[in-house]
Amino acid sequence: MPSALDPELRRALAARIRYYNELGIYDFYRRPLSDCAGAFASAIAVDDPEADISQPTLETGEEMSPRKAAAVAPPVAEENIFDAIAPKPEQSVGDPVQALKIIREDLGDCTRCALHKQGRKQIVFGVGNPTAELMFVGEGPGADEDEKGEPFVGRAGQLLNNMIKAMGIEREQVYIANIVKCRPPGNRQPERDECATCSPFLMRQIAVVKPKVLVALGATAAKTLLAMSASMMQLRGRFYDFKPAGVRSNDPNWDGCKLAVTYHPAFLLRDPRQKGEAWKDLQMVMKELGMKAPAKSTE
Ligand code: URA
């Protein structure tokens, strides 16, 4: 659709729409395309004299306060700006297994970002209980995950399994996914545009699973989900109210969830001294979910 729009203006409009979505505002009037660009921009200016649609997006690694960051939307890949507010096809399906299948089919043999031609063997969609109360989100598949097509099956996955067990539950009871679904070459961090391109599918998965608590594993997951940049020290230790960006809940009983940030298991493998801190994060999550840790075996 509005391909005539200047890319900068399109990005600014998409960011503004996401911002309004996050405030719970979804309904916008659409003018005919011919006068769309100018009219939409001026409508925003009239409705909200404070609006600054030229607000720049964040640079990777840029530090900012959570307060300021909360109002900044993530970078938006070239997309139809109204996709963000259109109902998603899976939302008319009651069965979460079917709904997830629709999202997977929508992904197809994805070529939306550069990762598809950088050696990925397969797309790693997500795994687990489609109605889980607890969902974990990592960064992206590694070699083992790329081989098996399942998230967190390598060494970091073993540790994640142990963390889940320590909470008194099994891996099968939670849902696990990643910010990007294709393996970045050499296990490099996914680029910002790769996260921005892939994460709308994750947002849709979250909206289907409807967890009570979402745990972001590591900085990439935390920064992408929260659309903010801050250190892990600043991000951990509290809950955030989270609504999947660009997805309007069709369930009156689910209007988002709590999000907690903890260390990525791969980081904990490198620095096991931080395991105690991660356990504190998980205890906070357990408390929120009314879970009790299993009694320690004395054997
Ligand atoms: N690291 C991640 O972030 N995700 C995986 O699936 C595996 C390792």
Side-chain angles (χ1 to χ4, degrees):
M1 352 163 319
S3 52
L5 281 184
D6 169 72
E8 270 306 302
L9 178 59
R10 176 203 286 252
R11 249 190 298 279
L13 286 171
R16 173 97 354 213
I17 287 170
R18 288 233 166 110
Y19 170 68
Y20 280 124
N21 288 172
E22 274 151 29
L23 292 175
I25 299 165
Y26 295 91
D27 297 321
F28 301 92
Y29 291 103
R30 278 169 79 171
R31 294 255 181 101
L33 185 54
S34 54
D35 57 13
C36 190
F40 198 85
S42 61
I44 287 170
V46 169
D47 288 345
D48 180 0
E50 303 281 296
D52 173 11
I53 63 167
S54 63
Q55 191 175 41
T57 48
L58 294 174
E59 289 306 313
T60 310
E62 184 185 331
E63 298 274 317
M64 63 187 301
S65 76
R67 247 176 101 85
K68 181 179 167 205
V72 180
V76 177
E78 281 302 297
E79 62 174 346
N80 179 336
I81 59 173
F82 291 103
D83 278 353
I85 49 172
K88 309 296 179 214
E90 67 277 8
Q91 291 191 298
S92 56
V93 174
D95 175 10
V97 174
Q98 279 309 316
L100 290 170
K101 222 167 161 186
I102 290 171
I103 302 170
R104 178 65 191 87
E105 278 164 13
D106 202 359
L107 254 177
D109 189 21
C110 187
T111 57
R112 292 171 181 82
C113 84
L115 290 177
H116 82 279
K117 51 182 180 196
Q118 296 189 354
R120 76 145 190 237
K121 286 193 177 144
Q122 54 186 316
I123 290 169
V124 179
F125 183 67
V127 72
N129 176 0
T131 57
E133 288 196 344
L134 177 59
M135 178 164 173
F136 291 91
V137 174
E139 181 176 296
D144 296 311
E145 291 75 21
D146 185 48
E147 196 64 49
K148 291 208 174 130
E150 184 174 327
F152 284 99
V153 291
R155 278 186 70 224
Q158 286 304 316
L159 180 53
L160 178 62
N161 291 350
N162 291 343
M163 290 159 72
I164 293 169
K165 251 205 182 104
M167 298 173 82
I169 53 176
E170 298 294 326
R171 177 179 166 102
E172 292 69 30
Q173 290 174 262
V174 306
Y175 192 84
I176 307 173
N178 281 308
I179 295 292
V180 297
K181 299 188 188 320
C182 296
R183 183 192 179 196
N187 292 344
R188 68 159 169 78
Q189 254 189 322
E191 303 280 353
R192 211 161 160 254
D193 66 305
E194 293 159 356
C195 296
T197 303
C198 205
S199 59
F201 293 92
L202 172 67
M203 297 295 176
R204 289 166 62 185
Q205 286 168 281
I206 296 168
V208 167
V209 176
K210 304 186 179 85
K212 285 191 178 147
V213 176
L214 191 57
V215 177
L217 298 167
T220 301
K223 290 177 186 181
T224 307
L225 291 168
L226 293 169
M228 61 192 277
S229 190
S231 69
M232 283 296 282
M233 226 163 74
Q234 288 169 308
L235 291 166
R236 289 180 48 246
R238 55 164 288 201
F239 280 114
Y240 301 81
D241 289 323
F242 177 82
K243 291 182 194 202
V247 189
R248 179 182 192 168
S249 175
N250 61 350
D251 181 347
N253 297 316
W254 193 85
D255 189 30
C257 61
K258 300 276 181 211
L259 185 150
V261 175
T262 193
Y263 291 119
H264 193 288
F267 169 77
L268 296 175
L269 287 172
R270 288 195 299 275
D271 188 356
R273 291 169 306 176
Q274 302 303 328
K275 283 184 181 175
E277 289 299 301
W279 182 233
K280 281 186 206 161
D281 300 330
L282 296 182
Q283 283 177 306
M284 183 180 86
V285 168
M286 289 161 65
K287 194 167 170 206
E288 178 69 22
L289 290 171
M291 294 162 60
K292 277 204 165 62
K296 274 222 169 90
S297 163
T298 50
E299 286 167 33

